[in-house]
Amino acid sequence: MASPIHDEMRGSDGNVLPHYQSYAAWLDSIPPERLVQKRNEAEAMFHRLGITFAVYGEEAGAERLIPFDIIPRIIPADHWHTLERGLAQRVQALNLFLHDVYHDQKILKAGVIPSQKVLANAQYRAIMQGVDVPGGIYAHISGVDIVCTGPGEFHVLEDNLRVPSGVSYMLENRKMMMRLFPELFSRQQVAPVEHYPDVLLETLRGVAPHGIDDPVVALLTPGSYNSAYFEHTFLAQQMGIELVEGQDMFVRDDTVFMRTTRGPKRVDVIYRRIDDDFIDPKAFRPDSILGVPGLMQAYKAGRVTLANAVGTGVADDKSMYIHVPEMVRFYLDEEPILKNVPTWQLSKKDDLHYVLEHLHELVVKEVHGSGGYGMLVGPASTMTQRAEFRERIIAHPEKYIAQPTLALSTCPTFVEAGIAPRHVDLRPFVLSGKTTRIVPGGLTRVALKEGSLVVNSSQGGGTKDTWVLEA
Amino acid sequence: MLSRSANDLLWMSRQVERAENTARMLDVTYRLSMLPYRIMESGEKWAEPWAVPLVTSGLATGYYKANTELTAEKVIRYMVLDATNPFSIYSSLQAARENARGQRGALTSEMWESLNRTWLEMRNIDYGNITARGVSNFFDWVKNRSHLFRGVTFGTMLRDEAYSFIRLGTFIERADNTARILDVKYHTLLPSIGDVGGAVDYYQWGSLLRSVGAFESYRKIFRDQITPSRVAELLILRDDVPRSLHSSMNDLYEILQSLSDSDRHEPERLAGEIHAQLHYGRTEQIFKLGLHEYLMQFLDKIEALNTEINRHYLTLDYT
């Protein structure tokens, strides 16, 4: 795609756009030394607060800060409203799809999506067939990755319906900005995000098993070596619920209990931050020590709610991504508000042929990959890397998809050389329970290297505070 | 609350208390090691002061596995900085911070920040820093970080169950530590009660009092010469001295009463029994039995209490 790169502050022609004007005027009045000082202050503060993430592959327990950029990303009210409606629509369709897949499979019978693709998917959980979950909601917490290519032109990059993370950074980044630059928040009406934990708790309590009036909710973590452990502790604390590990719970008579200093205590809703595979050694991987033996039995008996439900991976898999617009049409009889990024499926012969010819200009991703591992960014790759990927693709074409290198929007970012544009994406969080709620904002990730399109924190990306302006 | 959380919190405060006690012990040793030999009178034995903290903490074996000679520098390196020694100040603060990290949800943010900062600073300290800033200044820093943490806990934390388990950790460690310090002093440095009254004896008992911060209290209460039986009275039987066994048991008994219910009352009963022996005990009885024997019995009882607390509140298995 040869379209010019859209900068969210200066458009493509260099003039500051209306929703950035107030901030740009302030920024012009600030001496660079003050920004350096504020950045250092932020870094010291994040260290002191221990807002870190564990890095896989480094020495056990190694912790790193995700770089925080002190220049906010600003989204005008009208753009947000479109985004909000589009996200709600998309996640609603995905939940209907999941319910359908695990019940009547109407969409497969209608031939809209090939049955084989769903039922043979590694993320399809046969154990969930015919199981009813409260309210028919499967993905209670969804993180939908969005990229922007022009003013108000949003595309969905991927849906995360298993255990999406990052929301703690959305909250901590806002807290940090308010601490560093309180004056900015009186200049502009920025929509608050601080109530996210309350909305999350309400969502979780709303999907408790039938007949439970005052449900006990717990957050299940794999433990302190997990990369998102900070977030688990943070959310549990903010919601005032117990942070449990598998060993803290046991199942008796299809009921889940926590081991407490006052004896066993029943748990009704588990916000689990562990993948399906590890959640119950009796049902899935027998070698898992992270889960709770017998949990699936209690779940199927309707005695406990898991959020997200087991088996949501079948809907957020990259091979299923291309079908989401069809799901919206099929279940809601509406046109999708949010566009997908055009995607080549390498299991298709024609697509494979095209992609192998154009590796240098495409992004190739593993269907089951995540976190920016195992992907090839064509324009930034070397001949050797492309040759290597070509072999891998030819060996297992079904494991890959390819997308054009989008002209991702940039945002002004404070880097070593000063303020410069860097590419960004956005992960808003959609909460589905009795109602659908989206806190205005999300996690903006920024590729700190000049020209880079990879925003993942594991690959040197940073984060920004995301401001949705109130109209 | 979760049993695992209670266990982590108890160990968090235990490790902070342990780091403080180790610093106290080493600080006094350091001061003692600077005393000139000429104050000794003929016939007095002068145990090598740097052996004392090793013996008190039960670490002499571990130390001699890694070292052949006894020097101030080596003992400080081993007991302050050595990451392979689970009882070093470094390891204690690291463990305290790890326990806290797992239980951030139960702590106030100020508690976490205080402990995290202590650890981040400790991580950057090496032997060069300690000598450059002054050995005693370093030990003061450890004590101050512990004071700060306890103060922040006292000043900000909700008086809930988590608070009770945090306090349990502090007082179990403190009772254990005071008993050990008393015992080692008695046996390592003064073989018989008859060796009382010399200059060395004065400094040694004085330093023991200082190591538990009770020197001024002794002066206020007795306004007289330092004698073993008075030190024992002060650090075992008096309940107005904050690091005495009686005082620690007051707190432990009170906390366990508050945690007691119809299914879990054995820890309270046992703490009450230990407390009663201190509350109604007399110095003469202690010396009649022998201070060492008395203290060994006390340590056994604390261990039994520990086991009961574990069984009733902290273990993960229900029967």
Side-chain angles (χ1 to χ4, degrees):
Chain A
M1 286 192 184
S3 57
I5 287 169
H6 170 64
D7 185 79
E8 295 188 14
M9 179 156 108
R10 296 182 180 279
S12 42
D13 59 2
N15 294 321
V16 174
L17 295 165
H19 62 281
Y20 259 101
Q21 269 163 12
S22 165
Y23 180 79
W26 175 87
L27 192 59
D28 280 343
S29 71
I30 297 296
E33 317 84 73
R34 177 125 185 272
L35 286 181
V36 173
Q37 177 214 330
K38 288 292 181 184
R39 178 174 62 193
N40 295 344
E41 215 175 285
E43 199 180 309
M45 199 100 71
F46 276 128
H47 260 299
R48 196 156 64 86
L49 297 171
I51 301 176
T52 55
F53 73 105
V55 187
Y56 295 124
E58 294 191 8
E59 68 172 294
E63 294 166 35
R64 241 200 260 155
L65 281 187
I66 296 186
F68 168 69
D69 182 57
I70 57 176
I71 300 181
R73 189 240 195 113
I74 305 177
I75 298 173
D78 54 335
H79 291 179
W80 175 255
H81 287 315
T82 313
L83 203 48
E84 200 178 25
R85 285 195 304 124
L87 289 165
Q89 181 197 51
R90 190 174 174 102
V91 171
Q92 198 191 347
L94 285 162
N95 269 312
L96 289 168
F97 169 72
L98 284 162
H99 183 266
D100 189 24
V101 162
Y102 292 118
H103 290 81
D104 302 338
Q105 306 186 337
K106 289 185 196 123
I107 200 165
L108 308 184
K109 286 171 188 156
V112 177
I113 300 173
S115 292
Q116 194 52 19
K117 217 169 156 181
V118 174
L119 304 179
N121 190 301
Q123 293 297 322
Y124 169 75
R125 305 285 179 215
I127 196 172
M128 287 299 288
Q129 202 60 51
V131 175
D132 289 320
V133 297
I137 303 291
Y138 288 74
H140 308 88
I141 299 103
S142 314
V144 182
D145 289 348
I146 301 283
V147 294
C148 175
T149 54
E153 282 175 41
F154 297 107
H155 300 261
V156 175
L157 202 58
E158 65 182 46
D159 306 289
N160 295 283
L161 309 180
R162 296 173 223 184
V163 285
S165 62
V167 79
S168 57
Y169 297 98
M170 168 179 95
L171 298 169
E172 288 292 351
N173 288 354
R174 174 61 54 82
K175 215 156 93 191
M176 184 60 71
M177 286 299 280
M178 295 184 89
R179 206 158 167 171
L180 294 176
F181 307 109
E183 68 273 23
L184 283 174
F185 291 85
S186 53
R187 289 172 72 109
Q188 271 182 305
Q189 294 298 307
V190 179
V193 294
E194 293 82 348
H195 56 297
Y196 177 86
D198 297 315
V199 182
L200 176 58
L201 184 58
E202 205 181 304
T203 302
L204 294 168
R205 287 172 59 99
V207 294
H210 185 70
I212 306 281
D213 293 333
D214 186 16
V216 174
V217 184
L219 194 159
L220 174 60
T221 174
S224 63
Y225 291 109
N226 184 268
S227 64
Y229 186 66
F230 162 72
E231 179 158 305
H232 305 163
T233 56
F234 175 84
L235 288 175
Q237 181 177 35
Q238 294 293 313
M239 291 191 280
I241 62 174
E242 292 292 357
L243 178 68
V244 295
E245 294 180 10
Q247 55 170 328
D248 296 322
M249 297 196 286
F250 65 96
V251 178
R252 187 194 290 158
D253 303 330
D254 288 349
T255 308
V256 184
F257 295 94
M258 300 188 270
R259 304 170 199 271
T260 82
T261 52
R262 300 278 157 202
K265 182 172 183 188
R266 182 171 172 183
V267 183
D268 306 299
V269 180
I270 301 176
Y271 174 26
R272 49 98 172 207
R273 299 288 301 253
I274 295 183
D275 287 335
D276 289 355
D277 279 341
F278 299 95
I279 209 159
D280 178 357
K282 281 189 179 167
F284 303 111
R285 283 178 61 155
D287 58 337
S288 171
I289 50 164
L290 303 174
V292 186
L295 181 58
M296 275 310 285
Q297 187 58 39
Y299 182 48
K300 285 174 68 182
R303 303 275 293 159
V304 67
T305 302
L306 296 177
N308 290 351
V310 168
T312 53
V314 75
D316 76 358
D317 186 286
K318 289 189 183 75
S319 69
M320 207 54 62
Y321 162 84
I322 55 159
H323 299 293
V324 179
E326 295 158 51
M327 294 176 198
V328 173
R329 294 186 194 102
F330 185 82
Y331 295 111
L332 303 174
D333 203 16
E334 292 171 9
E335 266 310 296
I337 298 165
L338 293 176
K339 283 177 262 182
N340 262 10
V341 177
T343 303
W344 288 278
Q345 297 174 268
L346 306 198
S347 51
K348 288 188 185 164
K349 229 175 173 180
D350 290 352
D351 285 16
L352 175 65
H353 185 72
Y354 178 85
V355 167
L356 290 178
E357 292 295 298
H358 295 84
L359 271 186
H360 59 285
E361 57 189 43
L362 300 176
V363 178
V364 184
K365 297 175 180 173
E366 280 181 27
V367 174
H368 303 298
S370 68
Y373 292 102
M375 70 188 251
L376 176 82
V377 182
S381 63
T382 62
M383 290 267 281
T384 333
Q385 284 169 333
R386 286 199 294 275
E388 209 179 287
F389 241 82
R390 171 183 296 273
E391 275 177 38
R392 279 156 65 181
I393 293 169
I394 291 170
H396 291 285
E398 74 287 354
K399 281 192 179 169
Y400 296 91
I401 56 153
Q403 292 170 336
T405 318
L406 290 182
L408 291 198
S409 61
T410 56
C411 273
T413 301
F414 192 50
V415 293
E416 286 310 318
I419 297 172
R422 290 291 182 267
H423 294 292
V424 292
D425 80 350
L426 176 67
R427 176 178 290 182
F429 295 88
V430 182
L431 298 176
S432 313
K434 289 200 162 125
T435 58
T436 301
R437 307 274 301 268
I438 307 171
V439 168
L443 175 65
T444 290
R445 298 185 297 178
V446 51
L448 294 172
K449 266 191 280 173
E450 192 175 353
S452 169
L453 294 169
V454 185
V455 295
N456 302 74
S457 51
S458 49
Q459 311 279 310
T463 67
K464 280 171 172 293
D465 188 15
T466 311
W467 293 3
V468 171
L469 297 185
E470 296 198 321
Chain B
M1 68 185 304
L2 290 178
S3 295
R4 181 174 51 84
S5 304
N7 189 54
D8 284 356
L9 292 174
L10 185 149
W11 277 99
M12 171 189 75
S13 54
R14 239 190 124 151
Q15 299 282 7
V16 172
E17 180 72 20
R18 185 174 286 174
E20 177 187 337
N21 288 333
T22 306
R24 288 180 175 282
M25 216 154 52
L26 291 173
D27 191 29
V28 168
T29 306
Y30 177 68
R31 290 167 198 270
L32 206 57
S33 72
M34 291 183 298
L35 286 181
Y37 278 71
R38 62 186 151 75
I39 63 162
M40 278 195 290
E41 288 164 21
S42 64
E44 277 182 336
K45 288 187 191 138
W46 181 260
E48 170 51 60
W50 287 104
V52 177
L54 292 173
V55 177
T56 307
S57 324
L59 291 174
T61 317
Y63 176 86
Y64 282 110
K65 260 184 198 155
N67 301 281
T68 47
E69 45 178 354
L70 191 68
T71 69
E73 179 179 341
K74 286 191 168 142
V75 174
I76 289 176
R77 279 183 186 278
Y78 183 70
M79 293 204 58
V80 175
L81 300 169
D82 196 334
T84 67
N85 170 11
F87 296 89
S88 69
I89 292 177
Y90 179 96
S91 299
S92 298
L93 293 178
Q94 182 180 37
R97 190 261 189 179
E98 272 308 298
N99 281 315
R101 197 165 82 92
Q103 299 305 328
R104 285 186 60 168
L107 309 178
T108 63
S109 48
E110 287 173 51
M111 288 167 73
W112 161 252
E113 284 177 34
S114 155
L115 203 50
N116 191 39
R117 189 156 162 194
T118 303
W119 164 243
L120 293 178
E121 285 180 41
M122 183 68 225
R123 210 172 49 168
N124 291 322
I125 288 170
D126 59 23
Y127 189 72
N129 298 138
I130 294 177
T131 49
R133 78 205 271 189
V135 176
S136 283
N137 287 337
F138 168 76
F139 293 129
D140 281 346
W141 175 79
V142 177
K143 284 189 270 180
N144 284 334
R145 295 308 299 182
S146 171
H147 291 323
L148 184 66
F149 182 66
R150 216 166 26 246
V152 167
T153 305
F154 182 77
T156 65
M157 197 173 169
L158 184 68
R159 279 6 184 205
D160 57 1
E161 236 190 316
Y163 185 71
S164 297
F165 282 100
I166 289 174
R167 291 183 69 223
L168 267 188
T170 302
F171 295 115
I172 290 173
E173 182 65 22
R174 191 175 290 175
D176 181 278
N177 184 70
T178 300
R180 281 177 200 281
I181 287 187
L182 267 171
D183 184 52
V184 166
K185 160 64 186 151
Y186 197 72
H187 270 265
T188 315
L189 306 184
L190 267 185
S192 88
I193 202 168
D195 294 347
V196 172
V200 171
D201 192 44
Y202 169 81
Y203 280 109
Q204 290 184 345
W205 283 110
S207 69
L208 187 151
L209 287 171
R210 281 198 179 86
S211 77
V212 293
F215 188 78
E216 291 89 350
S217 304
Y218 186 98
R219 287 294 191 218
K220 270 194 190 143
I221 292 168
F222 298 109
R223 302 182 185 283
D224 199 357
Q225 175 183 25
I226 300 177
T227 68
S229 75
R230 280 180 186 154
V231 172
E233 185 187 338
L234 194 79
L235 293 183
I236 296 174
L237 295 180
R238 286 198 72 110
D239 73 347
D240 51 1
V241 177
R243 306 188 90 83
S244 75
L245 303 188
H246 189 175
S247 175
S248 300
M249 283 314 301
N250 269 357
D251 286 298
L252 284 174
Y253 183 41
E254 176 224 308
I255 300 161
L256 288 167
Q257 276 178 309
S258 78
L259 291 174
S260 197
D261 64 25
S262 54
D263 293 331
R264 279 159 284 273
H265 45 70
E266 176 59 17
E268 178 206 357
R269 190 204 62 77
L270 189 53
E273 186 184 311
I274 305 170
H275 176 258
Q277 285 163 353
L278 289 159
H279 191 77
Y280 299 108
R282 300 175 59 165
T283 327
E284 293 77 11
Q285 294 170 318
I286 296 173
F287 282 94
K288 205 170 150 196
L289 179 66
L291 183 56
H292 173 69
E293 285 70 24
Y294 181 87
L295 292 169
M296 284 301 110
Q297 281 179 12
F298 178 80
L299 284 174
D300 285 346
K301 285 180 210 152
I302 288 290
E303 188 48 45
L305 181 60
N306 219 353
T307 307
E308 290 305 324
I309 291 171
N310 262 308
R311 194 203 317 269
H312 288 85
Y313 300 110
L314 309 177
T315 53
L316 299 170
D317 294 311
Y318 288 106
T319 46

